[in-house]
């Protein structure tokens, strides 16, 4: 790495956030000392968990000294009162000031919210003290919208969040192709969308598990794409970390890309993901080209 790339890599890796489900809170507690205080911990909305479990997770994250960011799955929220009750409790019990909005995977909404934009426009978030609202980014495309529609919707959501007095973030699905992510970031900034971006990065895991999660989440995992990630399709019994992906991403980032940081999906467990962060940080710091 050049001195400039090493410095960029250090800034990038030190700004990581982490996705942790409610059921993984004991593991987060066990590894909490390895995570900087104030780190954003994203809590996914899983269909087999109820609001009490999600609220318990947000409280646990706050008690450990981190910043909880619960997900809200628009189409799974049964009523406006349900959302309001959850947000009021999240604010009062866990000091929640940020959340991540997703449409959800139901074909038809269970209540009044058909998509994340409808939650933004409800006015409930700012009234409950939310300051930062995350929305999804799709470097690999969207299963329903074409490219022009995708950009228009993203722009409108960012503008809507700002119009309601909150700050937008974009959180992307994890990916295996850094060049594809860089091209998407170029397009994002060219369109004048300058908000912070959290790029989804799969933590180290077995290759079979990574491929399985990719299939579940609609992420491209062709042989050529996996090869760019550093995975040979012929060695599915091994494990893989994201160092090739992160190296390529960091090398391609410039000041024009603005604030970009890694959002880790710890598919192989929280401890291995944190171990990878520590190893990557050490490799950057001890590089002979590193200039602090």
């Amino acid at each position: 790495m050049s001195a400039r790339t090493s410095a960029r890599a250090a800034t990038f890796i030190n700004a990581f956030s982490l996705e942790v489900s409610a059921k993984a809170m004991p593991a987060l507690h066990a590894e909490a000392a390895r995570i900087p205080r104030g780190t954003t911990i994203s809590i996914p909305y899983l269909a087999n968990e109820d609001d009490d479990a999600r609220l318990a997770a947000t409280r646990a994250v706050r008690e450990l000294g981190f910043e909880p960011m619960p997900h809200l799955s628009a189409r799974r929220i049964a009523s406006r009162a349900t959302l309001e009750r959850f947000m009021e409790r999240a604010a009062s019990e866990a000091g929640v000031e940020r959340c991540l909005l997703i449409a959800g995977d139901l074909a038809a909404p269970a209540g009044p919210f058909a998509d994340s934009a409808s939650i933004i426009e409800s006015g409930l978030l700012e009234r409950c003290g939310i300051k930062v609202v995350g929305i999804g980014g799709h470097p690999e495309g969207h299963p329903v919208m074409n490219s022009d529609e995708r950009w228009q919707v993203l722009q409108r959501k960012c503008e809507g969040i700002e119009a309601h007095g909150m700050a937008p973030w974009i959180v992307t699905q994890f990916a295996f192709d850094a060049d594809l992510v860089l091209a998407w970031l170029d397009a994002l900034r060219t369109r004048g969308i300058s908000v912070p971006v959290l790029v989804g990065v799969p933590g180290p895991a077995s290759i079979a598990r990574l491929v399985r999660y990719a299939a579940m989440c609609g992420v491209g995992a062709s042989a050529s794409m996996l090869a760019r990630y550093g995975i040979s399709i012929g060695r599915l019994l091994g494990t893989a970390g994201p160092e090739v992906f992160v190296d390529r991403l960091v090398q391609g980032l410039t000041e024009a890309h603005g604030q970009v940081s890694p959002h880790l999906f710890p598919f192989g467990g929280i401890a291995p993901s944190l171990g990878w962060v520590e190893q990557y940080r050490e490799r950057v710091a001890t590089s002979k080209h590193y200039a602090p």
Side-chain angles (χ1 to χ4, degrees):
M1 289 184 183
S2 68
R4 180 175 296 178
T5 301
S6 294
R8 190 183 303 125
T11 299
F12 181 81
I13 200 63
N14 287 332
F16 77 90
S17 55
L18 191 65
E19 185 143 322
V20 181
S21 67
K23 68 179 181 181
M25 286 299 138
L28 179 67
H29 193 281
E31 303 298 333
R34 303 170 70 183
I35 306 171
R37 291 180 65 85
T39 295
T40 294
I41 304 295
S42 178
I43 305 162
Y45 190 111
L46 301 181
N48 61 352
E49 296 172 349
D50 59 18
D51 280 353
D52 286 339
R54 297 180 192 105
L55 287 165
T58 63
R59 290 194 300 270
V61 169
R62 177 61 73 192
E63 289 164 3
L64 289 170
F66 308 130
E67 193 68 39
M69 184 168 70
H71 297 196
L72 301 175
S73 182
R75 292 178 189 153
R76 290 189 175 274
I77 297 172
S79 67
R80 182 184 175 94
T82 298
L83 175 59
E84 189 165 18
R85 185 163 54 249
F86 177 86
M87 293 309 302
E88 287 177 347
R89 288 188 61 190
S92 63
E93 298 174 16
V96 168
E97 295 184 341
R98 58 191 64 177
C99 62
L100 175 64
L101 305 182
I102 60 173
D105 54 2
L106 293 182
F113 304 110
D115 52 27
S116 53
S118 59
I119 294 181
I120 295 167
E121 295 306 318
S122 73
L124 286 174
L125 299 182
E126 66 266 33
R127 285 204 293 276
C128 291
I130 295 298
K131 297 179 180 178
V132 175
V133 178
I135 53 177
H138 302 91
E140 292 192 343
H142 194 278
V144 176
M145 294 181 285
N146 64 36
S147 179
D148 288 342
E149 291 170 335
R150 187 173 79 245
W151 289 117
Q152 290 167 10
V153 168
L154 188 62
Q155 181 79 58
R156 285 199 299 269
K157 286 180 183 177
C158 289
E159 292 172 351
I161 292 166
E162 291 172 338
H164 282 264
M166 300 174 291
W169 282 2
I170 297 173
V171 184
T172 78
Q173 183 57 276
F174 70 92
F176 294 123
D177 188 341
D179 288 333
L180 186 152
V181 174
L182 286 165
W184 179 84
L185 286 168
D186 286 338
L188 180 79
R189 299 318 190 196
T190 298
R191 285 166 170 79
I193 303 174
S194 59
V195 307
V197 175
L198 281 61
V199 172
V201 177
S206 72
I207 295 171
R209 176 171 290 187
L210 289 172
V211 172
R212 184 168 68 251
Y213 272 105
M216 290 169 54
C217 299
V219 173
S222 65
S224 61
M225 191 171 290
L226 290 172
R228 288 193 289 274
Y229 189 75
I231 293 174
S232 168
I233 201 69
R235 50 179 290 267
L236 291 181
L237 295 180
T239 61
E243 53 274 357
V244 173
F245 175 87
V246 172
D247 279 349
R248 177 68 191 99
L249 186 64
V250 167
Q251 288 165 4
L253 289 175
T254 68
E255 291 183 4
H257 289 119
Q259 185 176 334
V260 179
S261 58
H263 182 65
L264 291 172
F265 291 82
F267 296 135
I270 293 173
S273 288
L274 295 176
W276 179 85
V277 169
E278 292 162 355
Q279 291 170 8
Y280 192 85
R281 185 187 290 129
E282 180 66 17
R283 177 163 73 87
V284 170
T286 57
S287 168
K288 65 180 180 180
H289 298 297
Y290 179 65

